[in-house]
Amino acid sequence: MEKLEGIVEHIVYTNPDNGYTVCLLDCGNGEPVTAVGLLPSTVEGEKLVAAGAWTNHPSFGRQFRIESYEKQLPDGAEGMYKFLSSGYIKGLGPVTAMRLVEKYGEESFNVLSNHPEWLAEFKGISRKRALAIGEDFKLKFGMRDVIMFCSKYFGTAICTKIYKRYGGAAVDLIKANPYMLCDDIAGIGFERVDKMAADLEFPPDAPERVKSFIKHILLTAAYNGGHCYLPIDEITETVARSLEIDPLYAESCMNELAQLGQLVLGSGRCALKLYNEAERFIAQKLASMACCELPFRISGIDDSIAFLEKKYNIEYAPNQKRAIKYATSNGVTVVTGGPGTGKTTVIKAILEIFAASGISFMLCAPTGRAAKRMSEASGNEAKTIHRLLETKFNNKGEQIFVHDRHNPLPYSAIIVDEVSMVDALLMENLLRAIRDGAYLILIGDSDQLPPVGAGNVLSDIIASRVFPVIRLNEIFRQARESLIVVNAHSINAGELPELADKKKDFFFMERQNAEEMTELISQLCKTRLPNRYGIDPKSDIQIITPTRKGPMGTAALNTALQDALNPKEKGKNECKIGSTLYREGDKVMQTKNNYDIPWNADGVDGTGVFNGDIGIIKRLDAHDQTAIIKFDDRIAEYDFSMFEDVDHAYAVTVHKSQGSEYPIVIIPFFDFPPMLMYRSLLYTGVTRAKQMFIGIGKSARLAQMVMNDRKLQRNTTLRELLESIE
């Protein structure tokens, strides 16, 4: 990297959202230099000591792209005046700035910080205005201090969150205990804070570090394994080994966290308070709803079912009738079944009976694609659970829901699809917003993968046997014509799927090495399938794979498919963000919920893009570091700092595909790690295909997955909590 030192002569452009700035630097050797980079709160007159590299922009010529920098306040009267007269400090204009510098010279900044009331000596400046100028000066410099102190470890967006949370005292608070950032600021994990703490020479055996690491272990277990608790002995051993401390010391720190109300200990288990409370509330609320007297009791359900059969000239299967009857006469009902077993038919019948009885209802699902599919299949509006609950932010900047127990949802019945994807925290928030006496119908496929987040809600509810559970297990005639449906049920039963029938919708193409598989996948997506069926490879074909890593992982496949489906072209903007190259026209996925991203849908503005949403990059602007991404139902505006939660989506993992259906699904079968070669993962992937499934690779690996009925064990308490409620 090269170094550059100069005074900010002029701010050409700045993006207030992400701090991206274009400025002219006077380096004292003639013509000013154009410098670009993330330089939040930069002001004319400041001195920058920057590191970066020279680049040639096609439109703006030679520029110095800043990667890291230090700011220094101007130390001469002329520089101070330019800085103070820039308008950066609210209420301080050129005239007052000139008077201040003329009277106090190089002590001007000290006056603003410590004696702002002295400005009242100047004509036209009241004491109130003088104090306000001083407050804004301290506020702005507090923000600058936080960014300068934290920019080595965090991006601008995180630094801004830190300042908003702690204000001007942020740096001192962080120096006293950097680990508080893990608790207080979303998006900050233990590893980054631990690096900061080491640089600050924070004691490696400090209790703050040990306590933070204990919570980090529990959060990692929740995020990576879906666990709501861990055995106490396991945590103690891990902490002692990782931090090289006495196990008794680790246990004492755990007990202190429990006394502070952050952990819950009992029966040899340790849980974070939020997961313990979530499972307890779910159990209590479901039990309450099940025994609550329904204010809208429906009569004549058998007659209604007979009427619907006649109306649509159909005959419901016995289990479908049971599902309709239970759902319209019980507070809590679970309907589960695989593809082709008539879940949608049941939903439509339930909704017709509710509508005829004057019972208000709402359909919801955990993902946007699942909600859209539910809406299309039922002919009624469906929302994501997040949109149904509506989001807002509290005074700490934390996301909360508009609808809760104080402001319940205005519906007498809630029907939730794809419940296998709903984790404990989301289910807790949904149940808090459902009014007493409402109907709750939970619909899902219990044989699919458990949710990405912590908990195993659907499986635990079914296993508890506390509520009516109706299993739809009859494959209907029309569905039996689909080999996708038939093979999915075979896989679920531990039987090898039919691979020889080339006339239907389930195909397997044998290949033995990664190079051949990659080439075939690229050909199918780029030419063979689009030419044969007239489809759009980006919207109609989805590659699904068990892993992110390796030659058949999402990272490698996305690189190959980007080159095949969206190659570099003249006039097509592209930009490297972090270590990833993005290009206009790329298919991408949001990988974490982000409630701050602004969007517009048919003239209606809103915020929030959620985990699993897939879209196409319509515009990339390297100059102001922004992008426009078009999703199914809305257009969202990103700045580049938000791209840490955006991945290419030509290929996605099976977990990320949950809740979605795609016209054509292609899955590679390769030498994946044994922990990923199991039946429910294969079953989940196959059932994502709506019109055609194509397997590519080693049929022996497909057989291996079918034969492995390994169940993902999760540490949850919901089942036993439900069973213990009388």
Side-chain angles (χ1 to χ4, degrees):
M1 281 194 185
E2 295 189 52
K3 286 199 171 180
L4 198 66
E5 187 173 313
I7 304 294
V8 179
E9 182 178 285
H10 177 59
I11 302 293
V12 178
Y13 169 84
T14 187
N15 183 323
D17 294 325
N18 61 18
Y20 181 78
T21 301
V22 179
C23 64
L24 299 180
L25 285 182
D26 180 359
C27 300
N29 51 5
E31 286 293 315
V33 170
T34 300
V36 300
L38 294 176
L39 306 169
S41 305
T42 296
V43 180
E44 293 174 2
E46 286 182 301
K47 183 178 181 180
L48 289 184
V49 180
W54 290 99
T55 62
N56 275 302
H57 191 281
S59 301
F60 303 104
R62 193 166 186 253
Q63 299 178 338
F64 188 77
R65 182 168 292 278
I66 296 174
E67 299 294 335
S68 62
Y69 65 95
E70 292 181 3
K71 288 183 180 181
Q72 298 176 1
L73 287 172
D75 50 12
E78 184 177 345
M80 281 188 156
Y81 168 71
K82 188 167 189 177
F83 176 85
L84 293 173
S85 63
S86 66
Y88 180 60
I89 308 301
K90 187 176 179 181
L92 188 61
V95 174
T96 305
M98 179 63 75
R99 292 173 178 171
L100 178 63
V101 173
E102 285 178 347
K103 182 164 186 177
Y104 295 108
E106 296 189 6
E107 289 297 309
S108 297
F109 291 152
N110 181 49
V111 170
L112 288 171
S113 291
N114 301 308
H115 304 288
E117 68 276 7
W118 292 358
L119 270 66
E121 300 171 2
F122 301 140
K123 186 177 179 181
I125 304 293
S126 66
R127 178 179 173 82
K128 182 178 179 181
R129 181 182 167 192
L131 293 174
I133 291 171
E135 281 301 310
D136 196 60
F137 181 84
K138 286 188 280 188
L139 180 74
K140 297 287 173 54
F141 276 83
M143 178 79 168
R144 289 159 53 91
D145 288 345
V146 171
I147 291 174
M148 294 305 299
F149 181 75
C150 295
S151 60
K152 179 181 176 182
Y153 311 98
F154 313 116
T156 304
I158 294 291
C159 291
T160 302
K161 287 182 181 179
I162 291 171
Y163 181 72
K164 286 181 177 178
R165 181 65 190 266
Y166 303 124
V171 173
D172 290 336
L173 289 171
I174 292 169
K175 286 179 178 178
N177 177 18
Y179 295 99
M180 67 180 185
L181 294 171
C182 298
D183 294 332
D184 296 344
I185 309 297
I188 296 184
F190 177 84
E191 289 92 347
R192 284 200 283 180
V193 172
D194 205 40
K195 185 179 184 304
M196 171 189 272
D199 291 345
L200 292 171
E201 298 183 351
F202 208 77
D205 62 348
E208 293 88 351
R209 183 178 188 233
V210 178
K211 292 173 185 176
S212 184
F213 188 62
I214 290 170
K215 289 182 282 188
H216 168 68
I217 291 171
L218 287 163
L219 283 171
T220 301
Y223 295 151
N224 296 343
H227 300 301
C228 290
Y229 72 85
L230 288 176
I232 291 174
D233 290 346
E234 181 182 325
I235 297 174
T236 303
E237 291 170 11
T238 303
V239 174
R241 182 180 66 254
S242 301
L243 302 187
E244 299 180 345
I245 60 173
D246 189 310
L248 292 176
Y249 178 38
E251 192 172 333
S252 71
C253 288
M254 195 185 306
N255 288 328
E256 286 182 29
L257 285 170
Q259 290 170 5
L260 291 169
Q262 297 181 35
L263 300 183
V264 177
L265 305 178
S267 304
R269 303 166 175 174
C270 176
L272 288 167
K273 182 181 179 182
L274 78 163
Y275 290 112
N276 180 269
E277 287 189 345
E279 291 203 298
R280 287 189 176 279
F281 180 81
I282 292 168
Q284 292 165 0
K285 180 66 181 243
L286 288 176
S288 172
M289 292 183 70
C291 67
C292 184
E293 179 64 28
L294 293 167
F296 308 100
R297 181 69 66 180
I298 302 172
S299 60
I301 296 174
D302 288 331
D303 292 338
S304 297
I305 292 173
F307 171 79
L308 292 173
E309 286 182 316
K310 186 175 181 180
K311 177 180 178 181
Y312 294 109
N313 193 27
I314 60 174
E315 183 178 351
Y316 297 118
N319 276 349
Q320 286 184 308
K321 290 182 180 180
R322 287 181 63 239
I324 297 166
K325 195 166 184 177
Y326 276 114
T328 53
S329 56
N330 287 277
V332 178
T333 305
V334 177
V335 180
T336 183
T341 57
K343 295 192 296 293
T344 299
T345 301
V346 167
I347 293 173
K348 292 171 74 172
I350 292 168
L351 298 185
E352 287 221 31
I353 292 173
F354 280 156
S357 304
I359 293 174
S360 60
F361 58 82
M362 177 53 68
L363 306 171
C364 63
T367 68
R369 282 177 173 259
K372 183 178 180 182
R373 192 176 75 248
M374 193 183 192
S375 179
E376 291 170 349
S378 70
N380 289 271
E381 181 186 13
K383 298 181 179 181
T384 65
I385 296 174
H386 287 90
R387 292 211 183 285
L388 176 62
L389 299 179
E390 299 180 55
T391 58
K392 66 177 182 179
F393 298 88
N394 61 19
N395 54 12
K396 294 180 181 179
E398 298 167 334
Q399 179 263 328
I400 57 176
F401 291 110
V402 170
H403 291 288
D404 55 18
R405 65 187 181 89
H406 301 295
N407 180 28
L409 293 164
Y411 306 105
S412 300
I414 300 292
I415 301 93
V416 191
D417 198 12
E418 296 286 357
V419 183
S420 64
M421 295 180 62
V422 180
D423 61 39
L425 297 182
L426 185 55
M427 181 58 79
E428 176 197 16
N429 282 300
L430 175 61
L431 292 177
R432 287 189 184 279
I434 296 177
R435 61 176 63 183
D436 293 336
Y439 293 86
L440 176 65
I441 298 106
L442 303 175
I443 300 169
D445 186 346
S446 59
D447 293 313
Q448 288 190 24
L449 291 173
V452 174
N456 205 2
V457 175
L458 178 61
S459 292
D460 283 347
I461 290 173
I462 292 172
S464 73
R465 300 187 177 185
V466 173
F467 312 103
V469 176
I470 298 87
R471 294 182 182 274
L472 304 178
N473 45 29
E474 179 182 339
I475 306 176
F476 288 92
R477 181 180 57 80
Q478 186 175 356
R480 285 199 300 270
E481 296 174 2
S482 167
L483 202 53
I484 295 172
V485 172
V486 172
N487 277 343
H489 284 272
S490 295
I491 290 167
N492 201 33
E495 301 169 1
L496 292 177
E498 170 62 56
L499 303 182
D501 190 338
K502 304 297 183 185
K503 298 179 181 179
K504 292 199 174 181
D505 53 8
F506 193 105
F507 305 95
F508 195 91
M509 307 173 80
E510 192 83 29
R511 294 293 186 275
Q512 294 303 312
N513 63 64
E515 291 77 14
E516 291 178 340
M517 293 169 67
T518 302
E519 178 62 25
L520 179 55
I521 290 171
S522 296
Q523 288 177 8
L524 287 168
C525 293
K526 184 177 182 179
T527 56
R528 291 172 62 171
L529 291 172
N531 291 346
R532 177 74 179 272
Y533 299 103
I535 59 173
D536 181 343
K538 292 179 187 175
S539 61
D540 296 331
I541 303 173
Q542 185 60 60
I543 313 302
I544 300 177
T545 181
T547 182
R548 293 178 56 86
K549 300 177 181 178
M552 286 294 105
T554 57
L557 288 172
N558 274 319
T559 298
L561 290 167
Q562 182 188 42
D563 291 341
L565 301 180
N566 191 33
K568 181 181 180 71
E569 292 178 7
K570 186 177 180 180
K572 183 187 291 184
N573 292 330
E574 61 180 48
C575 190
K576 198 168 187 179
I577 306 174
S579 59
T580 304
L581 179 69
Y582 294 94
R583 191 173 286 147
E584 289 177 346
D586 272 344
K587 180 180 180 179
V588 293
M589 173 184 278
Q590 178 74 21
T591 61
K592 290 182 181 177
N593 292 341
N594 188 322
Y595 303 95
D596 298 332
I597 298 173
W599 52 259
N600 181 275
D602 297 326
V604 178
D605 292 328
T607 61
V609 180
F610 304 110
N611 181 12
D613 287 351
I614 289 179
I616 302 293
I617 297 177
K618 290 299 184 180
R619 182 172 66 81
L620 276 173
D621 192 328
H623 181 263
D624 80 1
Q625 302 268 291
T626 59
I628 299 296
I629 300 179
K630 185 180 187 307
F631 295 95
D632 285 341
D633 56 351
R634 61 203 186 284
I635 296 173
E637 182 175 352
Y638 283 66
D639 67 53
F640 283 4
S641 66
M642 297 170 176
F643 266 68
E644 64 182 2
D645 297 329
V646 174
D647 281 348
H648 285 108
Y650 301 102
V652 300
T653 63
V654 178
H655 280 93
K656 288 295 184 185
S657 74
Q658 278 183 273
S660 298
E661 277 188 347
Y662 312 95
I664 299 175
V665 166
I666 300 175
I667 294 183
F669 292 88
F670 192 62
D671 301 322
F672 296 118
M675 66 182 69
L676 299 174
M677 304 289 286
Y678 59 97
R679 186 186 302 167
S680 63
L681 188 137
L682 172 60
Y683 173 76
T684 301
V686 169
T687 53
R688 301 308 91 208
K690 190 174 182 181
Q691 297 171 9
M692 184 184 298
F693 174 86
I694 303 174
I696 294 175
K698 304 180 180 183
S699 55
R701 294 292 169 259
L702 184 151
Q704 180 183 344
M705 296 181 79
V706 172
M707 294 302 121
N708 182 7
D709 193 23
R710 167 178 172 256
K711 300 295 184 183
L712 295 176
Q713 296 299 319
R714 293 191 166 198
N715 296 331
T716 65
T717 59
L718 180 57
R719 176 181 176 177
E720 61 187 70
L721 287 168
L722 288 169
E723 291 173 340
S724 67
I725 294 175
E726 296 181 357

